[in-house]
Amino acid sequence: MRIFVPSIVLAIAYAIASCSARVVQYPSHIRVKRNSYIVQLHPTAQARCVQAIPGIQVSRHFDMFHGVAVSIGDSVHPSQVANIEGVKAVWPNRVFSLQYQNKTTNGSGEYLHQATRVHQAHTELGLNGTGIKIGIIDTGVDYTHPDLGACWKTPNCPWQYGGSYASDSLSPNDPPMDCMGHGTHVSGIIASRGDRVKGVAPQATLGMYRVFTCSSESADTNDANVIAAMEAAFQDGHDIISMSLGSETAWEEDPVAVLASKFVDAGVVMVVANGNSGASGLLTASTPAVGRNVISVGSVDNWNITSAHAIFTTHTGQHSVLFLPSAAPAPPFIIANNTLVVAPTDNTGSALPCTNITNDLSGKVALIQRGECTFSEKALNAQNAGAVAVVIYNNVDGMIDMAFDSNILIPGAFISMNDGRMVEESIRSGRTLVRALESDLITMPSPSGGHMSAFSSLGPTAELGLVPLISAPGGNILSTYPQSMGSYTSLSGTSMAAPYVAGAVALLKQARPDITVTHIRELLVTTARPIADSSTGLVSNPYSSGGGLINIYDAIRARARIDPPLLSINNTQREHPGPINSYIRPINAYWEIYTLAIQNTDSAKSMRISLAHIAANSLTMFDKNGTLSQQLLTNQTMPTWPTNTSPVPANTLPQVLGIRGNTLVRPGQSTKITVFIAPPLGLPESERWFYGGFINFKLTWDGESTAFSHVVPYAGFNGDMRKLSVLASAPIGLPFLANSEVEPIENVSELTISADTDVYLAVALDLPTRIFAASIVDATNTTRGYLPLGYSDYVGRTLLDEAPYYTIPVNRTVFHDTQMTNSSEVSAGSYHVHLKVLRPFGDPARESDFQIWDSDTFKLGD
């Protein structure tokens, strides 16, 4: 599970010549708290400079962030706040929503600890988190749960810190009772003391800072609550802060990310879930996970699944099929009596189906394959046709969580591709029935166990930074749950992986009390285990897994340091260095050269180094013609190289060569190893491949036969990012001018936009951009001003699992400043929209670094 802000991908910031600060302005589809803003001050400024202005009320003070949360009256414009002397930046106070995920029951917690070697840290090293303080920013906790201490701030209680910082709290001192379940689940992963759920650091001292309300089914929070809770956790002196919330953007200029990075600089370990937008492909990591030196965490699927199952009665007999029920608020998938199953088609003849279903499904269960449209669209079509339930089966191997929109009133179940095909064949061959009872549970190995979770967000950051840093178990994880909700359940998401890493870091800090945040990051990455991908025979790309699956036992016992611990390749050159002429062909090749410092921290034994290389999958979101991949659009999976386990030409994989450096390092001494990295030269640049791998150092010490593996992940882009298109084109067909239903307007040259006509510029971004500018240009080719919401900076790419495009109103209103404060109306006449976006690593001062799009000419009427 993952707490996220759906579609918060536009951090639209305006830098204005007339104002002393920039005002961030989010688009209309992003929810914000009305007339509420986050104000950051310059280091020497005081909050009283804001408090002194009539119409502005300060509701919260932030110390480390150095700012305030304010409410303003309707007569006050945020630009007036920005104009106050001492103000650095102003953000609208965003609303975050809690997203429910799938529930199952799972009993394989101990195996998770063995795979990550937490079990060995417990049993062999005697570590349990004693003396380490962990702050948790979440939905609260059922502190009366017996596995979580059944206490609150009493002597010997694990809960010694925290409170309520949500909008419905009267005081921060209110106990943070959990009404949603997510925070209790996270807490159990970190520190459960029970027999059924064994926490990673069961004796850690804990603090819970509740930031989500209990006032409705869709719990809310906002930036002000989160920042206040983070500062309280910092002031309480926590060694580690765990956050399973965020917003989807690849930029680190977000206020919460800025604050997280400040905490890291002050010595606090910030562990943050990387995101749950893996279905949208690359560049989907969230903030604050992309914050500087934050430990961002990806999710690995559990090795076993224990869940409900359905009995399908076919012409060949009865078949038990495991399913994952759709998440709340959909009703539970319970079918008490045998019910007929049918495979419907829509009015286009498609068996998927994504439009109105032609079959009468009254009293029947619909079997539908995943693909081409959302789960909710399929379920709604089945519901409208009279179905009592819907079963959706995968179009690739594995099982994933499924959630419906709130307008879906029928239960849903997700089953595997093989099971779905079996049921579909049975329907074609004869009458097929299904029943599912609430108490029926079975356990089976997960087909995706030990692999990266399909939902786990991928890097890189907008500027090719390597995220996530590390991965941990997050798919189908059993943990504690509020007693009023059943006491235990299994949830999925990077929300579950992040607290696992937070607990593991507590074990590391217990073993090494003086270790720095930098050293912790190094050890987590370099001792991790790259994650195998059975579909290709290679390992997962570091943009998916980071260093790999956490291996905390080896991190604790490590006797070597490697700096840097990861390589973000973001400046490839079309050159060829002399020292490797005999190694890499062709001569005209991209390459990167790095020097790695390796220190032997053993005080008594010399260390020997053996260098090897582990090539990882290459990933792309694009087809050969440069457009967004049909595979990604229809199946929510990315094209991968290799495509299978068959041998491939060596030049289609990245290469690493270690050229210089000593292989023997005396006790306490260091050496430097120079490595050359070449991308997969055999893969066409037009297909936009993101490549990666692991430099594998096999280290042995005198008198020891066992070699210890340390890895340095690297990842980059196979080509020049600066030349890539940011704007999405066919098959999405964007940009275009759209009507109120966001449908393309045909014959734009015949369009007249009047006061009662709703017209929008619809734009999708394949890549993030630092500058987004949409203007109105008249018949003399003179720019008359920006469209409303037409100037933005630090904009994230469009996420396919959220809004597939951004919409910007087109009318006679224009703005003459990027702050959107100075507006006027243009006269009636002929105009066109001029859109420009800055390409990756582009220079805003160089017009050639922008991608340009112009609409056809249309008329603005009275």
Side-chain angles (χ1 to χ4, degrees):
M1 172 164 188
R2 179 76 162 101
I3 306 178
F4 273 111
V5 187
S7 306
I8 296 187
V9 290
L10 280 174
I12 303 181
Y14 304 98
I16 311 174
S18 62
C19 291
S20 60
R22 69 184 183 106
V23 176
V24 175
Q25 197 172 67
Y26 296 119
S28 58
H29 70 275
I30 292 178
R31 291 194 301 153
V32 298
K33 190 174 180 180
R34 187 174 182 272
N35 290 345
S36 181
Y37 293 86
I38 305 297
V39 180
Q40 187 178 27
L41 303 173
H42 285 289
T44 58
Q46 301 295 320
R48 60 176 176 267
C49 71
V50 177
Q51 292 173 304
I53 306 300
I56 300 176
Q57 181 178 355
V58 175
S59 57
R60 291 187 188 272
H61 290 79
F62 307 130
D63 295 330
M64 283 291 291
F65 182 72
H66 196 60
V68 292
V70 302
S71 298
I72 63 174
D74 291 334
S75 62
V76 179
H77 193 276
S79 62
Q80 295 174 258
V81 182
N83 275 318
I84 298 172
E85 184 177 358
V87 171
K88 183 177 181 181
V90 179
W91 288 270
N93 192 8
R94 290 174 302 176
V95 173
F96 291 64
S97 294
L98 173 66
Q99 293 181 316
Y100 288 88
Q101 296 289 328
N102 175 71
K103 294 183 184 180
T104 63
T105 303
N106 190 303
S108 58
E110 194 59 39
Y111 184 74
L112 300 182
H113 291 340
Q114 291 173 349
T116 58
R117 306 191 78 183
V118 165
H119 178 74
Q120 286 177 276
H122 287 170
T123 58
E124 294 183 21
L125 304 180
L127 299 172
N128 54 22
T130 297
I132 306 302
K133 296 165 62 175
I134 305 175
I136 306 166
I137 315 292
D138 218 290
T139 67
V141 60
D142 181 359
Y143 47 82
T144 68
H145 198 296
D147 289 4
L148 298 175
C151 56
W152 180 252
K153 294 186 178 181
T154 57
N156 301 317
C157 178
W159 301 102
Q160 292 296 322
Y161 304 95
S164 294
Y165 295 82
S167 302
D168 62 350
S169 299
L170 297 177
S171 167
N173 295 322
D174 291 343
M177 178 55 75
D178 186 8
C179 60
M180 309 310 294
H182 183 274
T184 302
H185 195 275
V186 163
S187 300
I189 292 171
I190 294 175
S192 173
R193 301 178 174 187
D195 294 329
R196 188 171 183 184
V197 176
K198 301 181 187 300
V200 179
Q203 295 301 316
T205 301
L206 306 174
M208 172 58 72
Y209 303 82
R210 181 169 75 89
V211 294
F212 283 82
T213 68
C214 291
S215 58
S216 66
E217 288 187 0
S218 56
D220 290 335
T221 191
N222 54 60
D223 283 321
N225 295 344
V226 172
I227 292 173
M230 290 173 67
E231 293 213 334
F234 178 82
Q235 290 163 2
D236 284 340
H238 288 289
D239 303 292
I240 304 159
I241 297 177
S242 177
M243 300 179 66
S244 290
L245 49 80
S247 61
E248 287 87 351
T249 177
W251 300 95
E252 63 181 52
E253 282 74 12
D254 176 270
V256 178
V258 169
L259 184 58
S261 296
K262 283 188 174 183
F263 287 0
V264 173
D265 291 342
V268 178
V269 182
M270 298 297 300
V271 183
V272 183
N274 199 50
N276 280 4
S277 296
S280 290
L282 293 154
L283 294 149
T284 53
S286 70
T287 181
V290 297
R292 178 177 46 82
N293 293 327
V294 166
I295 296 176
S296 51
V297 186
S299 173
V300 174
D301 277 352
N302 193 352
W303 287 258
N304 294 298
I305 299 176
T306 302
S307 186
H309 72 122
I311 303 296
F312 287 87
T313 302
T314 73
H315 66 289
T316 61
Q318 290 191 339
H319 302 269
S320 177
V321 174
L322 182 143
F323 67 84
L324 299 180
S326 54
F333 192 85
I334 300 173
I335 303 174
N337 300 311
N338 279 325
T339 303
L340 186 65
V341 186
V342 297
T345 57
D346 62 22
N347 55 18
T348 69
S350 171
L352 285 174
C354 292
T355 59
N356 292 335
I357 291 175
T358 55
N359 310 67
D360 180 7
L361 301 182
S362 299
K364 302 170 185 174
V365 175
L367 176 76
I368 300 174
Q369 187 182 29
R370 177 189 180 190
E372 287 196 7
C373 59
T374 67
F375 295 137
S376 292
E377 289 172 309
K378 294 175 183 291
L380 182 61
N381 291 333
Q383 177 176 285
N384 291 341
V388 297
V390 59
V391 175
I392 297 178
Y393 69 94
N394 212 347
N395 51 10
V396 294
D397 290 333
M399 301 275 282
I400 64 170
D401 293 330
M402 178 174 69
F404 292 156
D405 294 338
S406 59
N407 60 340
I408 307 302
L409 306 178
I410 60 174
F414 191 87
I415 64 176
S416 70
M417 178 173 64
N418 289 338
D419 286 334
R421 288 174 175 174
M422 179 273 295
V423 177
E424 186 178 45
E425 175 61 29
S426 172
I427 292 172
R428 287 196 295 264
S429 302
R431 183 179 175 87
T432 301
L433 305 173
V434 64
R435 67 176 175 86
L437 302 180
E438 185 175 14
S439 59
D440 284 351
L441 298 174
I442 59 174
T443 300
M444 63 177 291
S446 170
S448 57
H451 293 76
M452 292 303 301
S453 303
F455 57 75
S456 190
S457 289
L458 295 90
T461 67
E463 295 182 331
L464 287 179
L466 204 165
V467 290
L469 189 78
I470 193 74
S471 294
N476 299 305
I477 306 301
L478 177 73
S479 188
T480 49
Y481 216 50
Q483 295 175 90
S484 61
M485 301 179 186
S487 297
Y488 303 94
T489 196
S490 183
L491 300 176
S492 294
T494 53
S495 274
M496 285 60 254
Y500 198 99
V501 170
V505 171
L507 304 183
L508 179 56
K509 285 187 69 67
Q510 181 187 4
R512 299 186 174 196
D514 298 326
I515 194 170
T516 65
V517 177
T518 298
H519 196 179
I520 289 170
R521 283 170 49 89
E522 289 177 11
L523 291 179
L524 291 182
V525 174
T526 59
T527 61
R529 296 174 174 177
I531 296 171
D533 185 340
S534 58
S535 67
T536 65
L538 299 183
V539 296
S540 293
N541 190 292
Y543 285 147
S544 173
S545 68
L549 180 65
I550 189 170
N551 176 5
I552 197 63
Y553 182 70
D554 280 2
I556 293 167
R557 300 189 307 150
R559 290 177 286 169
R561 294 190 65 176
I562 303 178
D563 182 39
L566 55 84
L567 303 174
S568 297
I569 301 176
N570 58 10
N571 189 27
T572 46
Q573 312 168 52
R574 175 95 41 196
E575 297 289 349
H576 189 69
I580 58 171
N581 282 343
S582 60
Y583 292 91
I584 297 180
R585 296 211 174 22
I587 295 300
N588 190 26
Y590 289 112
W591 58 270
E592 276 289 326
I593 184 170
Y594 290 96
T595 298
L596 301 171
I598 306 176
Q599 180 185 8
N600 176 12
T601 59
D602 193 305
S603 60
K605 297 181 179 181
S606 293
M607 177 182 74
R608 286 174 171 76
I609 303 171
S610 175
L611 178 67
H613 174 233
I614 304 171
N617 297 333
S618 291
L619 305 171
T620 185
M621 298 188 295
F622 304 94
D623 286 332
K624 292 182 179 181
N625 61 0
T627 62
L628 204 63
S629 166
Q630 282 291 334
Q631 178 180 328
L632 182 60
L633 290 171
T634 59
N635 296 336
Q636 293 79 53
T637 60
M638 281 184 297
T640 301
W641 184 263
T643 58
N644 53 49
T645 57
S646 299
V648 297
N651 70 345
T652 63
L653 302 176
Q655 301 175 53
V656 170
L657 297 170
I659 304 302
R660 295 185 293 268
N662 295 325
T663 59
L664 177 65
V665 186
R666 301 296 180 187
Q669 299 299 306
S670 300
T671 190
K672 293 183 177 181
I673 300 289
T674 300
V675 296
F676 293 88
I677 302 175
L681 306 175
L683 295 182
E685 287 186 25
S686 61
E687 296 179 16
R688 304 187 187 183
W689 290 99
F690 290 77
Y691 67 94
F694 299 83
I695 303 169
N696 188 12
F697 294 93
K698 295 289 187 180
L699 308 178
T700 56
W701 279 262
D702 286 347
E704 301 178 15
S705 59
T706 301
F708 291 84
S709 178
H710 286 245
V711 297
V712 174
Y714 68 89
F717 176 70
N718 184 32
D720 190 346
M721 285 282 288
R722 294 168 295 186
K723 297 178 181 178
L724 296 186
S725 295
V726 175
L727 297 172
S729 55
I732 294 180
L734 297 163
F736 57 73
L737 295 186
N739 59 24
S740 59
E741 301 298 321
V742 200
E743 298 168 336
I745 295 174
E746 303 292 339
N747 302 318
V748 170
S749 59
E750 300 176 8
L751 172 67
T752 298
I753 303 175
S754 59
D756 58 355
T757 306
D758 291 328
V759 174
Y760 300 90
L761 169 64
V763 183
L765 303 180
D766 284 346
L767 301 173
T769 181
R770 275 187 57 207
I771 296 177
F772 177 105
S775 308
I776 282 285
V777 179
D778 66 18
T780 67
N781 210 33
T782 300
T783 299
R784 302 299 301 275
Y786 296 113
L787 296 173
L789 301 177
Y791 185 89
S792 319
D793 60 18
Y794 299 109
V795 183
R797 61 160 290 230
T798 309
L799 298 186
L800 304 179
D801 59 347
E802 303 291 348
Y805 37 70
Y806 305 136
T807 55
I808 298 169
V810 180
N811 50 49
R812 289 176 58 183
T813 300
V814 297
F815 289 83
H816 305 287
D817 61 335
T818 58
Q819 197 90 328
M820 301 287 127
T821 59
N822 180 15
S823 65
S824 67
E825 286 198 356
V826 298
S827 59
S830 296
Y831 297 88
H832 74 270
V833 172
H834 178 74
L835 173 65
K836 67 177 187 178
V837 292
L838 188 65
R839 297 180 191 272
F841 303 105
D843 181 354
R846 190 161 50 221
E847 192 69 16
S848 61
D849 284 356
F850 286 87
Q851 183 183 359
I852 306 296
W853 178 86
D854 289 285
S855 74
D856 291 340
T857 299
F858 53 86
K859 288 183 171 58
L860 291 175
D862 294 325

